[in-house]
Amino acid sequence: MSFCSLYPALLVTSPWSCSENHLGSCRKQLMFCVSRRKARRGAWTGVSCSAETRTVVIGLAADSGCGKSTFMRRLTSVLGGVAEPPRGCNAYSNTLVGDATTVICLDDYHALDREERKEKGVTALDPKANNFDLMYEQVRALKSGVAVEKPVYNHVTGRLDPPELIRPPNILFIEGLHPLFDPRIRSLLDLSIYLDISNEVKFAWKIQRDMAERGESLESIKASIKARKSDFDMYIDPQKQYADVIIEVLPTRLIPDKGATEVLRVRLVMKEGVKHFTPVYLFDEGSTISWTPCGGKLSCSYPGIRFFYGPDTYFCDEASVLEMDGKFDRLDELIYVESHLSNLSTKYYGEVTQQMLKHADFPGSNDGTGLLQTIIGLKIRQLCEQIIAGDSSHGLKRKQLRRCLRLSPV
């Protein structure tokens, strides 16, 4: 079994500053923050998201270029609203804010900027290049309903920009290279997810992205992957053992060529016993099933579609696995597959299909990446509702207890 080591990092804080064209907006935020600061000495304070509930925290870990951004777009869509950069002081913010969600990119907790990493000969994957103390303190504060001044890593300049105000949302996503690395941060997560992309698929994706979108050469892409591989194997990949949910993206088994990546086999590994999370199953819970649904109810061009469901173990933990190999020809026919899946946590019949059609232009919408990411979004929605409902129930009980204590005779 793989394991990882913890490297301590120094606490880094930055003063608040902003550009003149946003000074009015910043002054309003700063006045808010200072007034709250006076309320409690010695700690950064802010507003609570609710008097009786706390922020639900979800961690998403993956290497760069593994589809985290697309996954977050699907998740925030399921949870309601559109996540957009916050209105405020920094045009290069990595944060996304929706009606009920906030997405924080953990690149913002780099302790070393691009030049400093180059001078010291370390990559951003190395824990020594990241500030885990500050990361832990700020995630803990947001989970408790307290606003923070979060640093901003500027991906254009490679430097750390002035911090931005983050208020506690109902649901907080922390995504990046290291959300599961530090045990202190893992203890704050209500659910943890790891995107495990095979080397063949990752290489194909990086070529598609970096050559087409960034104009990089094939040689530079290969050199970049090679330079990062040892740190990825040492610091990033071992985090998957701590995840509650793992999405594996692999080359298909439907085509004889083992290196084929134009068709994908995607596995959803769901650990058993995760609080507020019931694994999805196909046909019969606990059985082992292989299903080829192609026919009159589902159009399938070569090489077709194959589903698998069954029990498994993952780093000695019991798990259920749902797998899809192949791709859809018509998304509107996905309702046929959806009707055979259970524990989807949908609000109505056909919600998975509707979500897929809504984002048909997203990468992976015709294969298992889009389908299984959408399903996880629905499961997260239910998990959050159950946690918030439980907190509200406990809050009511606390109110009743306080009322009884006030009415009790002395």
Side-chain angles (χ1 to χ4, degrees):
M1 180 183 293
S2 303
F3 63 91
C4 56
S5 302
L6 176 63
Y7 287 72
L10 296 175
L11 182 66
V12 176
T13 58
S14 303
W16 180 277
S17 64
C18 59
S19 58
E20 291 184 6
N21 58 329
H22 289 111
L23 188 59
S25 173
C26 290
R27 184 176 289 117
K28 290 179 181 178
Q29 291 183 337
L30 189 57
M31 289 174 63
F32 162 81
C33 298
V34 169
S35 65
R36 294 296 300 176
R37 208 175 210 169
K38 294 178 180 178
R40 287 174 58 188
R41 177 177 289 178
W44 179 261
T45 60
V47 292
S48 297
C49 56
S50 169
E52 301 295 347
T53 64
R54 59 172 173 82
T55 293
V56 178
V57 184
I58 313 291
L60 174 63
D63 195 6
S64 64
C66 287
K68 295 189 296 292
S69 298
T70 300
F71 192 8
M72 295 313 308
R73 289 163 66 194
R74 291 189 189 277
L75 291 180
T76 53
S77 174
V78 169
L79 295 168
V82 178
E84 298 175 330
R87 298 175 182 176
C89 299
N90 198 320
Y92 298 104
S93 173
N94 303 305
T95 304
L96 296 174
V97 178
D99 294 342
T101 61
T102 294
V103 181
I104 287 179
C105 174
L106 297 186
D107 288 358
D108 289 335
Y109 293 96
H110 287 338
L112 303 174
D113 64 28
R114 191 177 296 155
E115 285 299 317
E116 290 170 330
R117 294 197 300 270
K118 186 176 180 180
E119 291 173 1
K120 295 179 181 294
V122 299
T123 71
L125 288 72
D126 192 318
K128 290 179 288 190
N130 296 274
N131 189 339
F132 287 97
D133 288 342
L134 182 61
M135 188 188 302
Y136 166 68
E137 291 296 336
Q138 294 200 338
V139 173
R140 183 178 66 171
L142 289 168
K143 187 181 181 75
S144 301
V146 178
V148 301
E149 279 184 314
K150 183 187 62 60
V152 176
Y153 179 77
N154 189 319
H155 284 93
V156 176
T157 65
R159 298 189 182 96
L160 290 167
D161 283 352
E164 62 185 357
L165 175 67
I166 302 295
R167 295 184 177 93
N170 290 334
I171 306 163
L172 173 68
F173 289 99
I174 59 171
E175 60 91 359
L177 297 169
H178 301 98
L180 311 183
F181 182 82
D182 189 324
R184 298 174 300 172
I185 298 168
R186 291 201 302 270
S187 70
L188 300 174
L189 302 178
D190 295 290
L191 188 74
S192 53
I193 306 166
Y194 186 91
L195 299 184
D196 191 7
I197 315 299
S198 70
N199 290 331
E200 305 96 319
V201 175
K202 189 188 300 185
F203 181 62
W205 283 3
K206 284 187 75 68
I207 288 177
Q208 181 180 5
R209 183 192 70 174
D210 294 351
M211 288 184 71
E213 299 177 12
R214 302 180 181 179
E216 296 185 20
S217 67
L218 181 60
E219 290 73 21
S220 67
I221 295 171
K222 289 181 178 179
S224 174
I225 292 174
K226 184 178 180 180
R228 294 166 55 93
K229 190 176 187 314
S230 61
D231 279 357
F232 171 80
D233 292 342
M234 186 175 296
Y235 305 122
I236 310 304
D237 190 59
Q239 294 179 63
K240 63 189 180 186
Q241 66 184 300
Y242 304 114
D244 301 314
V245 175
I246 303 91
I247 297 180
E248 299 176 343
V249 183
L250 308 153
T252 182
R253 286 180 174 172
L254 300 176
I255 299 175
D257 181 4
K258 293 183 179 180
T261 57
E262 65 271 16
V263 179
L264 300 176
R265 179 169 63 97
V266 188
R267 288 165 51 88
L268 175 59
V269 181
M270 301 162 283
K271 287 184 180 177
E272 300 286 350
V274 177
K275 192 173 183 181
H276 303 299
F277 188 98
T278 53
V280 179
Y281 65 89
L282 176 65
F283 289 115
D284 183 38
E285 187 173 14
S287 298
T288 299
I289 295 168
S290 180
W291 180 42
T292 303
C294 299
K297 297 182 179 179
L298 190 68
S299 303
C300 296
S301 56
Y302 179 82
I305 297 176
R306 182 181 300 159
F307 283 87
F308 169 83
Y309 163 76
D312 203 345
T313 57
Y314 192 83
F315 286 93
C316 301
D317 291 311
E318 293 184 1
S320 294
V321 175
L322 177 64
E323 174 184 307
M324 175 185 164
D325 195 349
K327 56 184 179 181
F328 299 108
D329 286 347
R330 294 181 51 182
L331 281 181
D332 59 331
E333 295 178 344
L334 177 59
I335 189 69
Y336 175 60
V337 174
E338 181 179 351
S339 65
H340 291 83
L341 294 168
S342 298
N343 277 352
L344 288 173
S345 303
T346 52
K347 297 286 189 182
Y348 53 86
Y349 180 73
E351 187 176 10
V352 172
T353 302
Q354 185 187 69
Q355 281 290 329
M356 291 286 285
L357 288 168
K358 180 180 178 181
H359 303 297
D361 58 329
F362 283 13
S365 290
N366 66 339
D367 61 37
T369 55
L371 173 62
L372 299 182
Q373 287 176 3
T374 299
I375 290 173
I376 290 303
L378 296 169
K379 301 299 294 183
I380 288 175
R381 182 181 66 187
Q382 183 184 63
L383 175 142
C384 295
E385 289 173 349
Q386 290 179 357
I387 291 174
I388 291 171
D391 287 347
S392 299
S393 175
H394 291 319
L396 179 60
K397 290 178 181 178
R398 288 195 295 270
K399 286 181 179 179
Q400 292 173 336
L401 178 60
R402 289 195 295 269
R403 183 172 181 271
C404 289
L405 291 173
R406 286 197 301 269
L407 295 176
S408 297
V410 178

PDB file of all heavy atoms in Angstrom, residues 302-323:
ATOM      1  N   TYR A 302     -19.447   1.408 -33.274  1.00  0.00           N
ATOM      2  CA  TYR A 302     -18.236   0.701 -32.852  1.00  0.00           C
ATOM      3  C   TYR A 302     -17.414   1.576 -31.898  1.00  0.00           C
ATOM      4  O   TYR A 302     -17.286   2.773 -32.127  1.00  0.00           O
ATOM      5  CB  TYR A 302     -17.385   0.366 -34.081  1.00  0.00           C
ATOM      6  CG  TYR A 302     -16.099  -0.346 -33.746  1.00  0.00           C
ATOM      7  CD1 TYR A 302     -16.091  -1.725 -33.534  1.00  0.00           C
ATOM      8  CD2 TYR A 302     -14.907   0.364 -33.629  1.00  0.00           C
ATOM      9  CE1 TYR A 302     -14.898  -2.372 -33.214  1.00  0.00           C
ATOM     10  CE2 TYR A 302     -13.718  -0.284 -33.305  1.00  0.00           C
ATOM     11  CZ  TYR A 302     -13.722  -1.648 -33.092  1.00  0.00           C
ATOM     12  OH  TYR A 302     -12.552  -2.297 -32.775  1.00  0.00           O
ATOM     13  N   PRO A 303     -16.909   1.033 -30.792  1.00  0.00           N
ATOM     14  CA  PRO A 303     -16.889  -0.383 -30.399  1.00  0.00           C
ATOM     15  C   PRO A 303     -18.021  -0.790 -29.451  1.00  0.00           C
ATOM     16  O   PRO A 303     -17.942  -1.823 -28.796  1.00  0.00           O
ATOM     17  CB  PRO A 303     -15.546  -0.486 -29.702  1.00  0.00           C
ATOM     18  CG  PRO A 303     -15.406   0.832 -29.010  1.00  0.00           C
ATOM     19  CD  PRO A 303     -16.025   1.848 -29.931  1.00  0.00           C
ATOM     20  N   GLY A 304     -19.051   0.031 -29.324  1.00  0.00           N
ATOM     21  CA  GLY A 304     -20.170  -0.303 -28.447  1.00  0.00           C
ATOM     22  C   GLY A 304     -19.995   0.240 -27.037  1.00  0.00           C
ATOM     23  O   GLY A 304     -19.120   1.055 -26.759  1.00  0.00           O
ATOM     24  N   ILE A 305     -20.857  -0.240 -26.128  1.00  0.00           N
ATOM     25  CA  ILE A 305     -20.830   0.188 -24.723  1.00  0.00           C
ATOM     26  C   ILE A 305     -20.953  -1.051 -23.836  1.00  0.00           C
ATOM     27  O   ILE A 305     -21.726  -1.962 -24.131  1.00  0.00           O
ATOM     28  CB  ILE A 305     -21.985   1.165 -24.397  1.00  0.00           C
ATOM     29  CG1 ILE A 305     -21.841   2.453 -25.206  1.00  0.00           C
ATOM     30  CG2 ILE A 305     -22.038   1.484 -22.902  1.00  0.00           C
ATOM     31  CD1 ILE A 305     -22.986   3.423 -25.003  1.00  0.00           C
ATOM     32  N   ARG A 306     -20.198  -1.057 -22.765  1.00  0.00           N
ATOM     33  CA  ARG A 306     -20.307  -2.144 -21.795  1.00  0.00           C
ATOM     34  C   ARG A 306     -20.268  -1.543 -20.393  1.00  0.00           C
ATOM     35  O   ARG A 306     -19.427  -0.696 -20.087  1.00  0.00           O
ATOM     36  CB  ARG A 306     -19.171  -3.143 -21.958  1.00  0.00           C
ATOM     37  CG  ARG A 306     -19.262  -4.345 -20.996  1.00  0.00           C
ATOM     38  CD  ARG A 306     -18.097  -5.286 -21.203  1.00  0.00           C
ATOM     39  NE  ARG A 306     -18.085  -5.799 -22.576  1.00  0.00           N
ATOM     40  CZ  ARG A 306     -17.000  -6.295 -23.167  1.00  0.00           C
ATOM     41  NH1 ARG A 306     -15.848  -6.311 -22.532  1.00  0.00           N
ATOM     42  NH2 ARG A 306     -17.074  -6.746 -24.405  1.00  0.00           N
ATOM     43  N   PHE A 307     -21.190  -1.988 -19.534  1.00  0.00           N
ATOM     44  CA  PHE A 307     -21.222  -1.583 -18.134  1.00  0.00           C
ATOM     45  C   PHE A 307     -20.809  -2.759 -17.251  1.00  0.00           C
ATOM     46  O   PHE A 307     -21.052  -3.917 -17.592  1.00  0.00           O
ATOM     47  CB  PHE A 307     -22.626  -1.116 -17.732  1.00  0.00           C
ATOM     48  CG  PHE A 307     -22.975   0.261 -18.203  1.00  0.00           C
ATOM     49  CD1 PHE A 307     -23.529   0.447 -19.457  1.00  0.00           C
ATOM     50  CD2 PHE A 307     -22.745   1.375 -17.407  1.00  0.00           C
ATOM     51  CE1 PHE A 307     -23.855   1.715 -19.920  1.00  0.00           C
ATOM     52  CE2 PHE A 307     -23.071   2.644 -17.848  1.00  0.00           C
ATOM     53  CZ  PHE A 307     -23.615   2.808 -19.106  1.00  0.00           C
ATOM     54  N   PHE A 308     -20.219  -2.414 -16.124  1.00  0.00           N
ATOM     55  CA  PHE A 308     -19.884  -3.420 -15.122  1.00  0.00           C
ATOM     56  C   PHE A 308     -20.234  -2.851 -13.754  1.00  0.00           C
ATOM     57  O   PHE A 308     -20.056  -1.666 -13.486  1.00  0.00           O
ATOM     58  CB  PHE A 308     -18.397  -3.771 -15.165  1.00  0.00           C
ATOM     59  CG  PHE A 308     -17.946  -4.611 -13.986  1.00  0.00           C
ATOM     60  CD1 PHE A 308     -18.118  -5.994 -13.994  1.00  0.00           C
ATOM     61  CD2 PHE A 308     -17.386  -4.008 -12.859  1.00  0.00           C
ATOM     62  CE1 PHE A 308     -17.732  -6.758 -12.908  1.00  0.00           C
ATOM     63  CE2 PHE A 308     -16.996  -4.768 -11.757  1.00  0.00           C
ATOM     64  CZ  PHE A 308     -17.164  -6.148 -11.787  1.00  0.00           C
ATOM     65  N   TYR A 309     -20.721  -3.729 -12.867  1.00  0.00           N
ATOM     66  CA  TYR A 309     -20.971  -3.349 -11.476  1.00  0.00           C
ATOM     67  C   TYR A 309     -20.626  -4.530 -10.589  1.00  0.00           C
ATOM     68  O   TYR A 309     -20.912  -5.685 -10.949  1.00  0.00           O
ATOM     69  CB  TYR A 309     -22.437  -2.947 -11.257  1.00  0.00           C
ATOM     70  CG  TYR A 309     -22.816  -2.946  -9.793  1.00  0.00           C
ATOM     71  CD1 TYR A 309     -22.416  -1.919  -8.940  1.00  0.00           C
ATOM     72  CD2 TYR A 309     -23.557  -4.004  -9.253  1.00  0.00           C
ATOM     73  CE1 TYR A 309     -22.738  -1.945  -7.596  1.00  0.00           C
ATOM     74  CE2 TYR A 309     -23.892  -4.022  -7.913  1.00  0.00           C
ATOM     75  CZ  TYR A 309     -23.477  -2.988  -7.077  1.00  0.00           C
ATOM     76  OH  TYR A 309     -23.788  -3.013  -5.751  1.00  0.00           O
ATOM     77  N   GLY A 310     -20.030  -4.250  -9.441  1.00  0.00           N
ATOM     78  CA  GLY A 310     -19.740  -5.323  -8.505  1.00  0.00           C
ATOM     79  C   GLY A 310     -18.950  -4.848  -7.308  1.00  0.00           C
ATOM     80  O   GLY A 310     -18.443  -3.717  -7.262  1.00  0.00           O
ATOM     81  N   PRO A 311     -18.813  -5.719  -6.304  1.00  0.00           N
ATOM     82  CA  PRO A 311     -18.024  -5.387  -5.113  1.00  0.00           C
ATOM     83  C   PRO A 311     -16.533  -5.491  -5.408  1.00  0.00           C
ATOM     84  O   PRO A 311     -16.110  -6.225  -6.309  1.00  0.00           O
ATOM     85  CB  PRO A 311     -18.468  -6.445  -4.093  1.00  0.00           C
ATOM     86  CG  PRO A 311     -18.875  -7.629  -4.934  1.00  0.00           C
ATOM     87  CD  PRO A 311     -19.445  -7.058  -6.205  1.00  0.00           C
ATOM     88  N   ASP A 312     -15.737  -4.765  -4.632  1.00  0.00           N
ATOM     89  CA  ASP A 312     -14.285  -4.783  -4.815  1.00  0.00           C
ATOM     90  C   ASP A 312     -13.648  -4.310  -3.520  1.00  0.00           C
ATOM     91  O   ASP A 312     -14.337  -3.929  -2.560  1.00  0.00           O
ATOM     92  CB  ASP A 312     -13.896  -3.871  -5.986  1.00  0.00           C
ATOM     93  CG  ASP A 312     -12.549  -4.246  -6.603  1.00  0.00           C
ATOM     94  OD1 ASP A 312     -11.797  -5.002  -5.964  1.00  0.00           O
ATOM     95  OD2 ASP A 312     -12.257  -3.769  -7.714  1.00  0.00           O
ATOM     96  N   THR A 313     -12.322  -4.319  -3.481  1.00  0.00           N
ATOM     97  CA  THR A 313     -11.579  -3.715  -2.378  1.00  0.00           C
ATOM     98  C   THR A 313     -10.655  -2.656  -2.948  1.00  0.00           C
ATOM     99  O   THR A 313     -10.140  -2.795  -4.063  1.00  0.00           O
ATOM    100  CB  THR A 313     -10.749  -4.751  -1.601  1.00  0.00           C
ATOM    101  OG1 THR A 313      -9.856  -5.419  -2.506  1.00  0.00           O
ATOM    102  CG2 THR A 313     -11.653  -5.761  -0.913  1.00  0.00           C
ATOM    103  N   TYR A 314     -10.451  -1.598  -2.157  1.00  0.00           N
ATOM    104  CA  TYR A 314      -9.587  -0.503  -2.589  1.00  0.00           C
ATOM    105  C   TYR A 314      -8.722  -0.114  -1.407  1.00  0.00           C
ATOM    106  O   TYR A 314      -9.212   0.415  -0.428  1.00  0.00           O
ATOM    107  CB  TYR A 314     -10.441   0.681  -3.064  1.00  0.00           C
ATOM    108  CG  TYR A 314      -9.653   1.746  -3.788  1.00  0.00           C
ATOM    109  CD1 TYR A 314      -9.367   1.612  -5.139  1.00  0.00           C
ATOM    110  CD2 TYR A 314      -9.179   2.874  -3.122  1.00  0.00           C
ATOM    111  CE1 TYR A 314      -8.641   2.585  -5.817  1.00  0.00           C
ATOM    112  CE2 TYR A 314      -8.458   3.846  -3.788  1.00  0.00           C
ATOM    113  CZ  TYR A 314      -8.190   3.698  -5.139  1.00  0.00           C
ATOM    114  OH  TYR A 314      -7.462   4.668  -5.798  1.00  0.00           O
ATOM    115  N   PHE A 315      -7.416  -0.414  -1.484  1.00  0.00           N
ATOM    116  CA  PHE A 315      -6.506  -0.212  -0.361  1.00  0.00           C
ATOM    117  C   PHE A 315      -7.098  -0.807   0.925  1.00  0.00           C
ATOM    118  O   PHE A 315      -7.171  -0.161   1.956  1.00  0.00           O
ATOM    119  CB  PHE A 315      -6.202   1.282  -0.170  1.00  0.00           C
ATOM    120  CG  PHE A 315      -5.269   1.841  -1.209  1.00  0.00           C
ATOM    121  CD1 PHE A 315      -5.777   2.444  -2.354  1.00  0.00           C
ATOM    122  CD2 PHE A 315      -3.899   1.767  -1.047  1.00  0.00           C
ATOM    123  CE1 PHE A 315      -4.930   2.956  -3.323  1.00  0.00           C
ATOM    124  CE2 PHE A 315      -3.042   2.274  -2.008  1.00  0.00           C
ATOM    125  CZ  PHE A 315      -3.551   2.865  -3.151  1.00  0.00           C
ATOM    126  N   CYS A 316      -7.548  -2.031   0.822  1.00  0.00           N
ATOM    127  CA  CYS A 316      -8.084  -2.808   1.949  1.00  0.00           C
ATOM    128  C   CYS A 316      -9.460  -2.344   2.421  1.00  0.00           C
ATOM    129  O   CYS A 316     -10.005  -2.895   3.384  1.00  0.00           O
ATOM    130  CB  CYS A 316      -7.113  -2.822   3.138  1.00  0.00           C
ATOM    131  SG  CYS A 316      -5.489  -3.520   2.743  1.00  0.00           S
ATOM    132  N   ASP A 317     -10.049  -1.340   1.780  1.00  0.00           N
ATOM    133  CA  ASP A 317     -11.399  -0.896   2.119  1.00  0.00           C
ATOM    134  C   ASP A 317     -12.406  -1.553   1.179  1.00  0.00           C
ATOM    135  O   ASP A 317     -12.168  -1.647  -0.031  1.00  0.00           O
ATOM    136  CB  ASP A 317     -11.519   0.624   1.993  1.00  0.00           C
ATOM    137  CG  ASP A 317     -10.736   1.355   3.059  1.00  0.00           C
ATOM    138  OD1 ASP A 317     -10.875   0.990   4.241  1.00  0.00           O
ATOM    139  OD2 ASP A 317      -9.979   2.287   2.718  1.00  0.00           O
ATOM    140  N   GLU A 318     -13.531  -1.989   1.731  1.00  0.00           N
ATOM    141  CA  GLU A 318     -14.596  -2.530   0.887  1.00  0.00           C
ATOM    142  C   GLU A 318     -15.195  -1.417   0.042  1.00  0.00           C
ATOM    143  O   GLU A 318     -15.372  -0.293   0.509  1.00  0.00           O
ATOM    144  CB  GLU A 318     -15.682  -3.177   1.752  1.00  0.00           C
ATOM    145  CG  GLU A 318     -15.220  -4.426   2.489  1.00  0.00           C
ATOM    146  CD  GLU A 318     -16.354  -5.091   3.243  1.00  0.00           C
ATOM    147  OE1 GLU A 318     -17.501  -4.578   3.172  1.00  0.00           O
ATOM    148  OE2 GLU A 318     -16.111  -6.110   3.901  1.00  0.00           O
ATOM    149  N   ALA A 319     -15.492  -1.756  -1.200  1.00  0.00           N
ATOM    150  CA  ALA A 319     -16.009  -0.739  -2.113  1.00  0.00           C
ATOM    151  C   ALA A 319     -16.960  -1.367  -3.117  1.00  0.00           C
ATOM    152  O   ALA A 319     -16.964  -2.586  -3.327  1.00  0.00           O
ATOM    153  CB  ALA A 319     -14.855  -0.050  -2.838  1.00  0.00           C
ATOM    154  N   SER A 320     -17.780  -0.520  -3.730  1.00  0.00           N
ATOM    155  CA  SER A 320     -18.608  -0.903  -4.877  1.00  0.00           C
ATOM    156  C   SER A 320     -18.069  -0.171  -6.095  1.00  0.00           C
ATOM    157  O   SER A 320     -17.664   0.995  -5.996  1.00  0.00           O
ATOM    158  CB  SER A 320     -20.073  -0.519  -4.647  1.00  0.00           C
ATOM    159  OG  SER A 320     -20.633  -1.270  -3.593  1.00  0.00           O
ATOM    160  N   VAL A 321     -18.074  -0.843  -7.242  1.00  0.00           N
ATOM    161  CA  VAL A 321     -17.524  -0.260  -8.467  1.00  0.00           C
ATOM    162  C   VAL A 321     -18.585  -0.262  -9.555  1.00  0.00           C
ATOM    163  O   VAL A 321     -19.241  -1.281  -9.801  1.00  0.00           O
ATOM    164  CB  VAL A 321     -16.293  -1.043  -8.953  1.00  0.00           C
ATOM    165  CG1 VAL A 321     -15.804  -0.497 -10.293  1.00  0.00           C
ATOM    166  CG2 VAL A 321     -15.172  -0.979  -7.924  1.00  0.00           C
ATOM    167  N   LEU A 322     -18.775   0.907 -10.180  1.00  0.00           N
ATOM    168  CA  LEU A 322     -19.623   1.034 -11.361  1.00  0.00           C
ATOM    169  C   LEU A 322     -18.729   1.490 -12.502  1.00  0.00           C
ATOM    170  O   LEU A 322     -18.024   2.497 -12.378  1.00  0.00           O
ATOM    171  CB  LEU A 322     -20.744   2.045 -11.115  1.00  0.00           C
ATOM    172  CG  LEU A 322     -21.664   2.332 -12.308  1.00  0.00           C
ATOM    173  CD1 LEU A 322     -22.446   1.084 -12.699  1.00  0.00           C
ATOM    174  CD2 LEU A 322     -22.613   3.484 -11.999  1.00  0.00           C
ATOM    175  N   GLU A 323     -18.747   0.764 -13.603  1.00  0.00           N
ATOM    176  CA  GLU A 323     -17.830   1.050 -14.708  1.00  0.00           C
ATOM    177  C   GLU A 323     -18.588   1.177 -16.023  1.00  0.00           C
ATOM    178  O   GLU A 323     -19.534   0.440 -16.287  1.00  0.00           O
ATOM    179  CB  GLU A 323     -16.808  -0.083 -14.829  1.00  0.00           C
ATOM    180  CG  GLU A 323     -15.875   0.005 -16.013  1.00  0.00           C
ATOM    181  CD  GLU A 323     -14.959  -1.199 -16.120  1.00  0.00           C
ATOM    182  OE1 GLU A 323     -14.284  -1.528 -15.115  1.00  0.00           O
ATOM    183  OE2 GLU A 323     -14.927  -1.835 -17.203  1.00  0.00           O
TER     184      GLU A 323
END
